[in-house]
Amino acid sequence: MNHDAVKIEKSGLLGKILLDLNLINSEKLEIALKEQTAEDKNEHKRLGDILVDLGFVSEEEMLGALSSQLGLAYLRFSEFPKVIPAASYPTVKFMKQYKFVPIGMNDEVLKIAMSDPLNEYVLEALHSFTDKALEIYLSSEKDIMEAIEQYFGTNVQMTSIMEGMRDEEAGEEGIELSEDVHHLRDMAFEAPIVKLVNMLITRAVESRTSDIHIEPFENSVKVRYRIDGALTDVESLPRRIQSAVISRIKIMSRLNIAERRLPQDGRIKLRVSGRDIDLRVSTIPTIYGESIVMRILDRGTALVVLEHLGFPQDTLESYKKLITTPYGMLLVTGPTGSGKTTTLYASLNKINSPDKKIITIEDPIEYQIEGINQIQVKPQIGLTFANGLRHIVRQDPDVIMVGEIRDIETAEISIHSALTGHLVFSTLHTNDAPGAVTRLLDMGIEGFLVSSSLIGVLAQRLVRVICHKCKEPFVQQQQIIEKLELPESNATTYHGAGCEDCRFTGYRGRTGIFEMMAVDGEIRQLILDKVSSDVIRQKAVQKGMQLLRDSGWQKVKEGVTTVEEVLRVAQEGF
């Protein structure tokens, strides 16, 4: 449809359309309009966005309503052209601000996908900019942003940078990896290297990456992103720029670029797409040079609510009782990357109130929580977990969170804090909940101290969630049907077929599976008797503890995840 056809009287139009289609009632519309009036005092927000935010309609329903009423075709990202003609287009910043993207152009017409086709300012600006007729299509903000990335974003720029480097490489045969520190520093500040590293970080942040891996091999340098807990190859860099890229990252993280024989740790703070990002940088020497891993910590990410972590309802209720206990020690266990810190933050946020003083000591501080005193460990100046804890208890706290119990000294101070009237949260690296008891005893903590202070242990893992866009039924093997105790009439589970929305992995996002052991009188006696973790596990199961693998099987039955995911993360399978 052309530009003139979209010039429609806007006052109350969207609300009337949704009312006519029975997607909302007048009461919901009135609530949204009041919300919009309140928003106008600060920053205008579209009525459609407010209706979606309030959960009154889905974005699909809203766009579908506009599509039928305005006679505009509704396009999804999969229906966009793969490439668009080379031309002079508006800036990416302008496109992102007003949520539109060009999807085609000829001598007379510019085709535009928009999330708000009633925005006359944008339509007039585009018409003036191109002096062409406009053909408007409807699309969601998410799909528009993906298209902007595909047509104008980091992937396109990355290709351009890499092609430029290959051109340079062709003209400079025989260049070896330099050992000259001054030369390395000069290379690290060259525009192509700076752009390349910036692109790698930007693309990682925008694709929900948790870790960036830069790994040198004999003929190339692999770049891999960990997305939803799984690594995927994203780039292969020329071997000749390896030292320059690594030196650039080291300079950004204030590391010694001359030291290549020993591991180093550093940190980078920067803004990416308007968000404050911390990168925790780790380097280690390998046979082909230094390997770098950068953990991405998004300080702008909203805290996850405890109820949204994936707890089964009965486990959630039991856990809530534990975190509101006035004193004692509660441990969250699991391997690195299993979501322990997120659970602790959600727990602290749940109990955070003006009548409680909460102090944390962490390495690093991943989220900043209003109303909580947070301390960053700094071993280089003597501020360790143990040393910091000694001073924390003199600050009259009600709740203490210790990022990790790494040694007997930290364990002892944490336990004594729990015994002297404080609620103490911390983490341990163990495979299951009963294993936390054995770990503390193996550290040298007396059994009576563990039994007196420990109130509960939560073991957890993260499993990937099946992508809702490409989710489809999947008939399992008989062995798995029997294991999951599925009735023959309902022997179907689900998996993701793979689509653009999930990058053809079949998964998008993650959720938790949990094993929670509350420490009661019987469990305390077993701890005092120093029995094995197997005996403690058997008793806990008798008292209703759900094992990790069983929590995973429940998620499979509910169609949340797949059998393969549970087998990947749970210690025991069949």
Side-chain angles (χ1 to χ4, degrees):
M1 179 174 283
N2 64 32
H3 172 205
D4 295 331
V6 182
K7 284 187 175 179
I8 301 172
E9 177 62 38
K10 294 193 290 181
S11 177
L13 175 64
L14 178 59
K16 185 177 184 305
I17 296 170
L18 295 170
L19 284 171
D20 291 344
L21 293 172
N22 293 319
L23 291 173
I24 59 171
N25 55 34
S26 56
E27 183 181 353
K28 289 181 177 179
L29 177 59
E30 187 176 346
I31 292 171
L33 288 171
K34 285 181 179 177
E35 184 80 13
Q36 188 180 39
T37 303
E39 289 283 349
D40 282 343
K41 295 175 184 177
N42 300 306
E43 181 181 347
H44 182 73
K45 195 169 184 179
R46 293 183 302 167
L47 178 63
D49 292 335
I50 293 172
L51 287 165
V52 172
D53 290 345
L54 291 172
F56 292 163
V57 293
S58 69
E59 189 177 26
E60 291 266 341
E61 288 173 333
M62 184 187 70
L63 292 172
L66 279 175
S67 174
S68 61
Q69 184 69 23
L70 302 180
L72 298 177
Y74 173 38
L75 291 184
R76 293 171 178 80
F77 180 71
S78 58
E79 299 172 295
F80 283 21
K82 297 301 179 187
V83 294
I84 57 174
S88 176
Y89 293 110
T91 65
V92 170
K93 182 179 180 181
F94 187 67
M95 293 181 204
K96 287 185 175 181
Q97 182 177 355
Y98 291 103
K99 313 296 188 299
F100 74 90
V101 65
I103 56 173
M105 181 188 285
N106 57 37
D107 292 340
E108 298 178 353
V109 177
L110 172 64
K111 296 181 180 180
I112 298 289
M114 302 180 69
S115 65
D116 181 12
L118 303 177
N119 191 326
E120 292 185 14
Y121 167 72
V122 176
L123 296 173
E124 293 289 356
L126 288 172
H127 187 65
S128 301
F129 180 82
T130 61
D131 199 28
K132 296 178 185 292
L134 300 179
E135 191 172 311
I136 310 299
Y137 295 85
L138 264 176
S139 191
S140 70
E141 288 187 13
K142 176 180 170 297
D143 287 347
I144 286 169
M145 291 304 175
E146 284 198 41
I148 292 172
E149 173 65 25
Q150 177 171 307
Y151 301 149
F152 309 101
T154 54
N155 289 341
V156 176
Q157 296 176 46
M158 183 78 76
T159 301
S160 174
I161 292 169
M162 295 302 296
E163 285 176 352
M165 287 182 171
R166 278 190 278 272
D167 291 342
E168 288 180 19
E169 185 175 6
E172 299 179 20
E173 293 181 4
I175 292 181
E176 297 296 329
L177 297 176
S178 174
E179 297 295 324
D180 182 353
V181 173
H182 296 294
H183 183 54
L184 278 178
R185 187 178 295 275
D186 291 342
M187 288 179 66
F189 282 101
E190 288 179 0
I193 297 297
V194 172
K195 286 182 181 177
L196 175 61
V197 172
N198 289 347
M199 289 296 170
L200 290 173
I201 294 172
T202 301
R203 188 165 65 171
V205 170
E206 292 178 349
S207 61
R208 301 178 298 108
T209 297
S210 62
D211 300 86
I212 305 171
H213 293 244
I214 300 177
E215 304 164 323
F217 293 96
E218 186 174 5
N219 299 314
S220 66
V221 180
K222 278 189 178 180
V223 179
R224 299 197 288 172
Y225 292 166
R226 189 177 294 278
I227 303 173
D228 292 335
L231 279 170
T232 179
D233 288 344
V234 294
E235 197 64 66
S236 182
L237 307 178
R239 182 87 162 89
R240 64 177 293 274
I241 66 169
Q242 171 188 333
S243 294
V245 169
I246 290 171
S247 296
R248 176 63 189 166
I249 294 170
K250 284 175 142 187
I251 287 170
M252 292 173 72
S253 49
R254 301 177 186 273
L255 298 179
N256 183 359
I257 65 171
E259 179 55 76
R260 303 175 199 132
R261 301 165 300 169
L262 295 173
Q264 296 185 69
D265 294 308
R267 176 169 291 178
I268 302 171
K269 289 188 177 183
L270 69 165
R271 274 182 81 79
V272 177
S273 301
R275 291 148 62 185
D276 289 321
I277 302 295
D278 282 349
L279 296 174
R280 197 168 66 194
V281 181
S282 171
T283 75
I284 59 168
T286 71
I287 188 172
Y288 293 116
E290 288 176 287
S291 174
I292 287 184
V293 174
M294 292 182 277
R295 165 66 58 90
I296 298 174
L297 306 174
D298 188 346
R299 288 184 284 152
T301 302
L303 274 176
V304 179
V305 178
L306 196 61
E307 287 79 3
H308 295 167
L309 294 178
F311 279 99
Q313 192 57 40
D314 54 347
T315 305
L316 178 62
E317 294 306 318
S318 300
Y319 184 71
K320 282 181 179 178
K321 287 179 183 176
L322 288 181
I323 66 175
T324 53
T325 305
Y327 57 87
M329 184 165 71
L330 178 61
L331 296 176
V332 180
T333 76
T336 301
S338 59
K340 302 186 297 295
T341 305
T342 299
T343 298
L344 285 182
Y345 276 121
S347 305
L348 292 180
N349 200 43
K350 186 74 175 177
I351 63 174
N352 187 15
S353 61
D355 63 335
K356 288 189 178 73
K357 174 147 186 171
I358 303 176
I359 305 180
T360 74
I361 181 161
E362 310 169 56
D363 185 25
I365 296 172
E366 296 189 22
Y367 297 92
Q368 296 176 22
I369 311 176
E370 184 70 28
I372 292 181
N373 297 275
Q374 295 174 268
I375 302 169
Q376 170 68 54
V377 168
K378 294 178 181 175
Q380 63 271 24
I381 60 171
L383 182 54
T384 61
F385 279 117
N387 197 20
L389 256 177
R390 286 194 188 91
H391 295 278
I392 285 175
V393 294
R394 299 173 195 156
Q395 290 280 312
D396 186 32
D398 297 291
V399 181
I400 300 170
M401 194 266 270
V402 184
E404 183 183 344
I405 293 178
R406 296 176 179 173
D407 51 53
I408 185 172
E409 192 177 10
T410 306
E412 285 178 338
I413 302 171
S414 299
I415 286 172
H416 283 295
S417 299
L419 292 173
T420 53
H422 304 94
L423 179 59
V424 179
F425 293 91
S426 193
T427 68
L428 271 180
H429 291 283
T430 64
N431 289 324
D432 58 9
V437 174
T438 308
R439 176 63 55 83
L440 290 173
L441 295 175
D442 288 345
M443 280 183 174
I445 306 297
E446 292 291 343
F448 73 90
L449 290 175
V450 177
S451 66
S452 301
S453 60
L454 195 62
I455 60 172
V457 184
L458 179 75
Q460 68 177 73
R461 300 288 189 279
L462 291 176
V463 292
R464 289 182 290 174
V465 174
I466 300 170
C467 174
H468 72 277
K469 289 282 183 72
C470 59
K471 182 176 179 178
E472 63 181 22
F474 180 72
V475 179
Q476 290 289 352
Q477 300 173 0
Q478 186 62 34
Q479 178 193 15
I480 294 175
I481 292 171
E482 293 171 1
K483 182 67 181 178
L484 297 178
E485 298 178 354
L486 292 171
E488 290 294 335
S489 60
N490 187 27
T492 301
T493 58
Y494 294 86
H495 76 161
C499 64
E500 290 182 348
D501 199 55
C502 63
R503 298 173 179 264
F504 299 97
T505 62
Y507 301 98
R508 184 175 175 84
R510 289 188 288 178
T511 190
I513 59 174
F514 302 92
E515 174 180 294
M516 203 199 76
M517 182 181 77
V519 178
D520 60 8
E522 292 182 70
I523 300 292
R524 291 187 200 285
Q525 187 58 51
L526 292 177
I527 296 172
L528 279 171
D529 295 339
K530 295 186 178 181
V531 300
S532 69
S533 61
D534 289 338
V535 176
I536 297 175
R537 185 187 301 108
Q538 289 171 9
K539 174 58 69 175
V541 170
Q542 287 175 17
K543 299 177 77 63
M545 181 180 81
Q546 185 182 45
L547 295 174
L548 269 173
R549 68 176 186 274
D550 294 327
S551 177
W553 296 148
Q554 187 62 39
K555 287 277 195 296
V556 172
K557 292 177 188 177
E558 293 169 357
V560 174
T561 190
T562 63
V563 170
E564 291 77 16
E565 271 298 286
V566 176
L567 294 177
R568 181 177 70 86
V569 303
Q571 182 187 11
E572 298 178 66
F574 289 97

